[in-house]
Amino acid sequence: MINTQIKPFNATAFKNGEFVEISEKDVLGKWAVFFFYPADFTFVCPTELGDVADKYEELQSRGVEVFSVSTDTHFTHKAWHDSSDTIGKINYYMVGDQTGNITNNFGVMREGQGLADRATFLIDPEGTIQAMEITAEGIGRDAEDLLRKVKAAQYVAAHPGEVCPAKWKEGEATLAPSLDLVGKI
């Protein structure tokens, strides 16, 4: 999946109290996070979605849009948003993928279950997947680490010839791969 293009899709999402139509065209030209989760009204999912909501303003300041996706309908997303304090703070897109088209496009549909895996994809402005993470059902993701990956991907995109080492944080030293660096790390 890394370095592949996102595939065409059409869906209805809940955002800012409204239902909106979206497609892959809404992703192109900006950085985007697709944040797949199994189902609304569950247990680990709201903790993850709330964590991303807490980082949404900072992601937006970096030019990143967030699309949370489950195979629930956009109506279910609205009901969950209206009934949960944690989900109620979400201002990003909550995409209904009841047909499974988007979930299948990203290869994260659980066979025979109709549910998405717990998966995150970071997409650059050209629509190319730059990072992905998939965890088991009981393992929640960390929005702080997602933000770190966004910063690293944006840095690498803006600085050809440089790479970010393990645990890299914004402002820290990067590496410039070269023949002289081989065997010196």
Side-chain angles (χ1 to χ4, degrees):
M1 296 291 293
I2 299 297
N3 292 321
T4 64
Q5 294 295 118
I6 61 167
K7 296 177 182 175
F9 70 88
N10 290 291
T12 304
F14 178 72
K15 184 174 186 340
N16 295 330
E18 297 181 357
F19 295 132
V20 294
E21 297 301 315
I22 62 166
S23 74
E24 76 285 352
K25 292 175 184 74
D26 295 300
V27 178
L28 299 176
K30 65 183 85 133
W31 287 86
V33 169
F34 275 71
F35 198 82
F36 291 88
Y37 63 97
D40 291 359
F41 295 100
T42 56
F43 313 102
V44 176
C45 300
T47 67
E48 294 181 309
L49 293 170
D51 191 32
V52 172
D54 292 341
K55 297 292 182 193
Y56 184 59
E57 188 174 313
E58 187 171 357
L59 288 163
Q60 287 274 277
S61 74
R62 301 192 69 84
V64 180
E65 187 54 75
V66 175
F67 300 86
S68 65
V69 184
S70 77
T71 56
D72 297 292
T73 68
H74 53 287
F75 298 113
T76 306
H77 292 331
K78 180 191 182 317
W80 196 24
H81 189 274
D82 292 350
S83 66
S84 166
D85 290 340
T86 299
I87 301 306
K89 65 185 177 181
I90 292 174
N91 292 317
Y92 51 79
Y93 291 91
M94 297 181 74
V95 182
D97 186 31
Q98 63 270 22
T99 66
N101 184 51
I102 304 167
T103 306
N104 281 313
N105 281 353
F106 281 86
V108 294
M109 179 68 81
R110 293 181 186 174
E111 186 70 33
Q113 294 183 32
L115 300 174
D117 280 325
R118 205 172 292 292
T120 309
F121 294 86
L122 174 59
I123 300 160
D124 71 18
E126 289 74 44
T128 305
I129 298 171
Q130 293 297 318
M132 61 185 277
E133 174 184 20
I134 302 173
T135 66
E137 176 68 27
I139 302 171
R141 294 160 285 178
D142 182 346
E144 186 65 41
D145 191 50
L146 171 61
L147 185 58
R148 183 191 68 78
K149 290 174 187 174
V150 165
K151 291 174 182 179
Q154 289 179 335
Y155 184 91
V156 169
H159 299 87
E162 293 183 49
V163 295
C164 297
K167 298 183 181 181
W168 179 86
K169 301 265 191 301
E170 192 170 33
E172 292 181 350
T174 59
L175 301 171
S178 68
L179 186 60
D180 294 337
L181 196 57
V182 174
K184 304 260 170 48
I185 297 175

